Amino acid sequence: MRPVGNTFIKLSSVTLLALSVNLVGCQTFKNLTSKDVDAVETAEKSEQAYYNDAITQIDKGRYTQAIEDLTNLRTFYPTGIYAEQALLDIMYAQFESGSYETTAGSAEQFISLYPSNPQVSYAYYVRGVANMQGASDGIQIFKMNQAERDTAYLRIAFANFQELINKYPNSPYAPDSAQRMLFIYNQFAQSELTAARWYIEREAHVAAANRAKWVFQYYPLSESVPEAIAILAYSHDKLGLTDLAKDYKTLLQINYPELLTNDGRVKLTTKSDRTWLNKLTFGQLGRASIQNTSIAEGQYSGATKTQMIRNANQLRLPTDDATAADTAIISSTPARSSGIKVGLGLPDSATEQVSGQGSSSAAAKEAAVEP
């Protein structure tokens, strides 16, 4: 769990206190130890007063004060009727205040302490959304292209959402989580094409082909596949591998004829041509209530929810290890799964003639200059 300053210290002491008396979830006061009674006696307000004041602060957007009240509630009434609900609201308040790393830590704590809580899938969802924001510096995914930034947090978020839809496919947060997985998946593919375009501008066509091949091989369900095939056709043409270039152009003609001119030349897209990222919208994070789940349901519009979750379950991110390319199977299978009409099949020999490595690191070594 990530350290989150003073709040982490307070919550950790609460956790230790709860474990020391062997209590899980909400308990009645008749089960309190003398230590718990002492804690209650030092409280300035009643349990309900702390909670009501915190919710008032949340409604007014005063999240720092709300977090303080909720933390005090959990400190003084660790086994009270509001303890679990308070942690749900702490997560929400932390997220709204922009403390994304802290939010993820609180979500982890909730998952660990209350695995049977009816709103535990909300904690899984919040954890993923917080990590998707890109750490505590408040990076907003719609204000910059994440494909051009460090993708460590996107990879963590992808795994968070994947765990949610695997464990809770019927959760109200599953469809939105699936949509976020698709977004992240496309971002990873797009990062490879961003590099490929850079190499093409510098006439490093071997490196460009490797980046495009990486997309086709490891992100076959991404929005970047058409451009990847176009770059493969273009790069092979520039390298004098006319037979392979012709095969890729045939794939374009069958599947994406708009990427070929009338005389058979490849149309390369540019960064400004890719506007699909701006069209994605996700459900906003809402508060979760054990008594009323409706206020926290994720919002989603698009394909049917069942289909979106099924599609997300097919998505996989490659490992960071560059040697993963050595064990991967390069064939026409990924193309078929993405709906591409292969027919003649992808030219397997392309991987041997262009490069023996399919990873981005190998492609970088092939470049004439460093990116």
Side-chain angles (χ1 to χ4, degrees):
M1 184 181 298
R2 301 175 178 82
V4 293
N6 293 332
T7 302
F8 176 84
I9 296 173
K10 291 179 180 178
L11 293 179
S12 295
S13 63
V14 172
T15 303
L16 292 174
L17 177 59
L19 292 176
S20 68
V21 295
N22 195 26
L23 292 173
V24 177
C26 299
Q27 300 288 336
T28 60
F29 285 106
K30 67 180 181 179
N31 292 324
L32 295 176
T33 66
S34 59
K35 198 175 205 178
D36 295 320
V37 173
D38 291 340
V40 171
E41 289 177 350
T42 61
E44 297 179 356
K45 294 181 283 190
S46 69
E47 182 180 9
Q48 185 171 1
Y50 272 121
Y51 186 75
N52 290 342
D53 288 349
I55 297 307
T56 298
Q57 298 300 331
I58 288 178
D59 291 340
K60 293 180 179 180
R62 299 171 181 170
Y63 299 114
T64 300
Q65 183 59 51
I67 292 170
E68 182 178 341
D69 286 338
L70 292 167
T71 301
N72 285 335
L73 187 159
R74 286 179 54 79
T75 299
F76 296 123
Y77 305 96
T79 58
I81 60 175
Y82 290 102
E84 297 180 33
Q85 180 63 52
L87 187 50
L88 288 172
D89 289 319
I90 284 174
M91 285 187 289
Y92 174 78
Q94 288 170 336
F95 184 89
E96 290 299 310
S97 66
S99 302
Y100 303 123
E101 192 169 3
T102 306
T103 303
S106 294
E108 289 276 9
Q109 183 183 37
F110 190 93
I111 292 168
S112 176
L113 289 177
Y114 313 118
S116 299
N117 187 286
Q119 281 286 13
V120 69
S121 69
Y122 174 78
Y124 280 91
Y125 177 70
V126 171
R127 182 181 63 174
V129 173
N131 280 320
M132 191 174 180
Q133 292 301 105
S136 57
D137 58 359
I139 296 172
Q140 299 296 319
I141 65 174
F142 297 114
K143 294 182 180 179
M144 61 183 67
N145 188 353
Q146 289 285 340
E148 298 176 353
R149 303 188 61 86
D150 176 35
T151 56
Y153 277 89
L154 287 180
R155 184 176 289 276
I156 294 171
F158 185 92
N160 294 156
F161 294 129
Q162 191 171 49
E163 185 176 7
L164 189 158
I165 66 174
N166 286 338
K167 289 185 174 181
Y168 306 99
N170 297 320
S171 165
Y173 313 104
D176 191 81
S177 297
Q179 190 178 27
R180 289 174 183 272
M181 286 178 64
L182 180 61
F183 176 87
I184 294 171
Y185 180 85
N186 278 312
Q187 285 286 280
F188 274 93
Q190 180 59 211
S191 69
E192 296 297 329
L193 290 191
T194 297
R197 294 188 208 101
W198 190 92
Y199 286 130
I200 287 175
E201 290 175 1
R202 288 151 183 81
E203 300 184 356
H205 299 298
V206 171
N210 274 313
R211 289 299 182 105
K213 181 186 65 180
W214 185 259
V215 170
F216 202 95
Q217 179 178 347
Y218 288 105
Y219 304 100
L221 301 177
S222 75
E223 298 278 352
S224 298
V225 167
E227 186 179 356
I229 298 175
I231 290 175
L232 284 166
Y234 179 86
S235 298
H236 282 83
D237 220 352
K238 290 295 184 180
L239 290 168
L241 301 173
T242 55
D243 289 341
L244 291 174
K246 183 179 179 180
D247 287 341
Y248 286 116
K249 287 180 182 179
T250 300
L251 289 179
L252 289 176
Q253 185 62 51
I254 295 173
N255 300 281
Y256 313 106
E258 69 278 7
L259 295 181
L260 289 174
T261 63
N262 292 334
D263 58 359
R265 289 180 292 109
V266 177
K267 294 180 183 178
L268 291 181
T269 60
T270 63
K271 194 173 185 178
S272 59
D273 292 328
R274 304 190 61 83
T275 58
W276 62 274
L277 289 176
N278 298 326
K279 299 177 182 178
L280 289 179
T281 57
F282 300 126
Q284 295 183 348
L285 186 66
R287 284 182 51 230
S289 171
I290 296 174
Q291 289 76 27
N292 178 13
T293 62
S294 62
I295 62 174
E297 288 187 1
Q299 302 172 12
Y300 169 75
S301 60
T304 64
K305 294 180 178 181
T306 301
Q307 185 61 45
M308 173 57 70
I309 295 171
R310 184 181 298 117
N311 291 343
N313 273 322
Q314 299 178 41
L315 304 180
R316 296 291 184 273
L317 296 181
T319 63
D320 284 328
D321 189 351
T323 60
D326 296 333
T327 58
I329 299 175
I330 304 174
S331 68
S332 60
T333 302
R336 291 194 182 97
S337 66
S338 61
I340 299 174
K341 298 177 182 177
V342 178
L344 72 164
L346 281 177
D348 293 346
S349 58
T351 60
E352 298 176 1
Q353 295 195 44
V354 177
S355 171
Q357 298 290 328
S359 68
S360 56
S361 61
K365 293 178 182 177
E366 297 277 1
V369 289
E370 294 294 331

